[in-house]
Amino acid sequence: MARLADELAVPAPSPVHQLQAELVQLIVPPEAEAEQLYPGWFRLAFPLASSLLLWAAILWGASHLA
């Protein structure tokens, strides 16, 4: 039968909990610094510009094949 712990009861350190705490320190990576991102205008303009350039090259090449 389970018994209730009184207010004076001090929890005993468990080897399992201590091992788990040590393992968590090995698993959880330290917080990484935020990497510098490209500015928003560049992240929007570069894919659009490169897409337009590739489509222009495709259409130019297709016109020369016909």
Side-chain angles (χ1 to χ4, degrees):
M1 172 173 256
R3 65 177 182 89
L4 297 175
D6 58 3
E7 298 90 32
L8 301 177
V10 177
S14 167
V16 173
H17 289 118
Q18 183 180 0
L19 178 61
Q20 184 181 17
E22 291 173 4
L23 289 175
V24 166
Q25 291 176 358
L26 296 176
I27 294 172
V28 177
E31 293 197 21
E33 295 179 15
E35 60 185 64
Q36 297 292 330
L37 298 176
Y38 290 105
W41 64 268
F42 182 79
R43 295 187 338 214
L44 181 64
F46 181 77
L48 290 174
S50 60
S51 178
L52 287 173
L53 182 66
L54 287 174
W55 274 111
I58 290 169
L59 293 175
W60 179 81
S63 69
H64 277 77
L65 291 177

